[in-house]
Amino acid sequence: MTQESSYGRWTVSSSDESENEKTPIEKPSTSSLPSFGQDVLNDPGYTCSDARKAAYRRKLSPVKFDSKNSTSKISSLKRQKSSQEDLGWGLSSSDEEESHPKGQSRQPGKGTVKEEKCTSLKEPSKYSPRDCQPPVIPKTEEDYETSDEAQEPWDLLDEKNLFRFYLTRVSGIMPKYNLGALHIKDILSPLFGTLLSSAQFNYCFDVAWLVRQYPLEFRKKPILLVHGDKREAKARLQEQAKPYENISLCQAKLDIAFGTHHTKMMLLLYEEGLRVVIHTSNLIQADWHQKTQGIWLSPLYPRLPYGTPSTCGESPTNFKSDLISYLMAYNAPPLKEWADIIQEHDLSETRVYLIGSTPGRFQGNHKEDWGHFRLRKLLKEHTSLVPEQQSWPIVGQFSSIGSLGADESKWLCAEFKDSLVIVGNRGKTEAQRDVPLHLIYPTVENVRKSLEGYPAGGSLPYSLQTAEKQLWLHSYFHKWSAETSGRTNAMPHIKTYMRLSPDFAKMAWFLVTSANLSKAAWGALEKNGTQLMIRSYELGVLFLPSAFGMDTFKVKRKVFSENQEPATSFPVPYDLPPEIYDHNDRPWIWNIPYIKAPDTHGNMWVPS
């Protein structure tokens, strides 16, 4: 029966319906693209998800919103089999009460989209004039080199950032909300060192764009691209890199189906030393333009004196040996060379712990080497059993979601949550079993009102095929809001997990990582819990108060506030407490149309 949701009619093609439920986050497309004339002009030219390809096509060929003719604009689509309401996205009153902390604000966040006159809205009482007009979008990426918004040298070298955690710069927002934020050109700036060579680990590469981010004097220095592409995608990446004699490729082995090389890291070797950058951005222009991304920037690691024993230069967090172990897991000669380079440097100033995932099946003590069991091990060993902390909530924030099973007991609130609630080397207590879990994922309205409009949803590749199999998950969802940092309308591609006090004023730990909420990224137990299976490469850094000489972190809620807060306050990149979805909120699902309301550029979303 044909029905209609508040965002319009939608359907799923038969090929979409039969998609494997283990489809990974940002899975490369193997299907042919719809024809829009010249197919080559409608393909971004680099490996990316189907969702990103759809966003790329819509940017090239937007579907303008017209309240009178919106239905006819997608008349070629098949009639849908149901609506989001039919899938049960709305919360019952009992659901709301159970998962909504007492006293938590339910006021919707205020948008920052510029208000202008709107003349084409069919339902003016429901959508305000600001909803259909684009914000002021200033400079493009190509303008960045001469932008007067570029970072000043003193900003780049400011050592007041105790945690060395940064957000990426966002175009189109007030300058005060970019203070201390970094663009990739800042990271590769000569102010950080005289570059000799670099290694770029990532999922998605636009090689020509990447080369332009290096300063002119460094563009011919050796660059190693570590990727997971196979077959046609690998050939395309090789073709991209062919014009650059200084670029070499290293293919990460992905022997388990549906895995990806999702790690995002830079190794930068200078005349003056070595720097490690672990971040959340793909190496494409869109990820450094108007998205919320996270960066951990290491100190400059000096070279050890010649002849120094290999055991020297280790940090209290074992970061050096863990990073070398991660590189050696690739079993690739070019990365063995980088492991040797790391061995030659002093990483003793590092205060974060490395948490990685590598593909494989791990048993015995090796079960704790990677994934969520690695996080569990660190929390056991480096946190103290403080009774009050046993019931502190967990907050997870991510840009996509994998297939998690038929109910919460299959993985999310069983093995995964069991790892996150560990405090000290004790067994799980009753208080830990009842720990609240808040999951932050953008709503359709978040995406619609974003700086990029609906195409921002291309980096949120949660599909209908996965969503409709785990309707139980919606009761955990909370909206994306970053009003206090001026970035609510910059959609998140950052992924963060943390544990906070019930009043959200103190933090027990914080993790920024490439890992989305999926078993492929974090691992899932097999063989009655004796074996952990991981499909993908991921990498992140864990901040523990003990490594900074503290019992807990104080939460810095206003990341870019002009009011001076203690340097020991940890900057959380979104609003706390998180606001649970209300009855009208729907999670962003990329592969259905949204035609009933325009985005900030006056367009609809028709993904195919």
Side-chain angles (χ1 to χ4, degrees), residues 22-27 203 252-263 326 330 356-360 362 370-371 514-516 518-523 533-539:
K22 294 181 180 177
T23 298
I25 312 309
E26 297 190 296
K27 168 181 163 288
Y203 169 75
K253 294 180 180 178
L254 291 164
D255 295 330
I256 301 180
F258 307 110
T260 60
H261 182 260
H262 206 241
T263 290
Y326 176 79
Y330 284 80
S357 292
T358 61
F362 307 98
W370 314 109
S514 62
N516 279 301
S518 75
K519 292 187 285 185
W522 284 104
M533 189 271 284
I534 300 175
R535 299 178 186 275
S536 299
Y537 292 89
E538 307 281 357
L539 202 61

Side-chain angles (χ1 to χ4, degrees), residues 565-603:
E565 293 189 52
T568 54
S569 298
F570 200 97
V572 176
Y574 41 83
D575 296 342
L576 295 172
E579 182 185 356
I580 198 167
Y581 278 24
D582 63 32
H583 287 289
N584 296 320
D585 288 319
R586 307 288 183 266
W588 171 261
I589 294 173
W590 79 267
N591 56 344
I592 59 177
Y594 300 101
I595 66 166
K596 282 299 187 70
D599 67 9
T600 49
H601 297 269
N603 298 324

Side-chain angles (χ1 to χ4, degrees), residues 199-308:
Q200 296 282 359
F201 296 67
N202 222 292
Y203 169 75
C204 187
F205 296 88
D206 181 339
V207 176
W209 175 86
L210 174 61
V211 170
R212 293 198 302 273
Q213 308 318 300
Y214 284 80
L216 283 170
E217 60 266 41
F218 298 158
R219 288 183 186 175
K220 293 187 178 180
K221 300 293 184 180
I223 303 173
L224 177 68
L225 304 184
V226 185
H227 66 95
D229 289 342
K230 298 179 181 179
R231 297 179 290 277
E232 295 87 351
K234 179 181 177 181
R236 184 156 57 174
L237 182 60
Q238 289 172 331
E239 191 65 24
Q240 277 196 66
K242 191 173 181 180
Y244 307 96
E245 295 181 356
N246 58 313
I247 293 181
S248 56
L249 305 180
C250 175
Q251 181 181 358
K253 294 180 180 178
L254 291 164
D255 295 330
I256 301 180
F258 307 110
T260 60
H261 182 260
H262 206 241
T263 290
K264 294 162 178 66
M265 175 170 65
M266 305 181 192
L267 300 177
L268 305 173
L269 180 63
Y270 308 107
E271 289 182 4
E272 300 85 355
L274 173 74
R275 195 181 305 277
V276 179
V277 184
I278 295 173
H279 60 102
T280 65
S281 304
N282 286 289
L283 293 175
I284 59 176
Q285 186 271 342
D287 271 30
W288 296 84
H289 184 45
Q290 290 184 320
K291 299 189 190 305
T292 298
Q293 305 274 13
I295 303 168
W296 175 75
L297 189 74
S298 82
L300 179 63
Y301 299 131
R303 184 178 291 274
L304 291 165
Y306 181 76
T308 301

Side-chain angles (χ1 to χ4, degrees), residues 33-39 41-42 54 57-58 61 63 606-608:
L33 296 176
S35 175
F36 288 82
Q38 299 181 41
D39 285 347
L41 298 179
N42 292 281
R57 293 195 298 270
R58 286 288 74 87
S61 180
V63 180
V606 185
S608 60

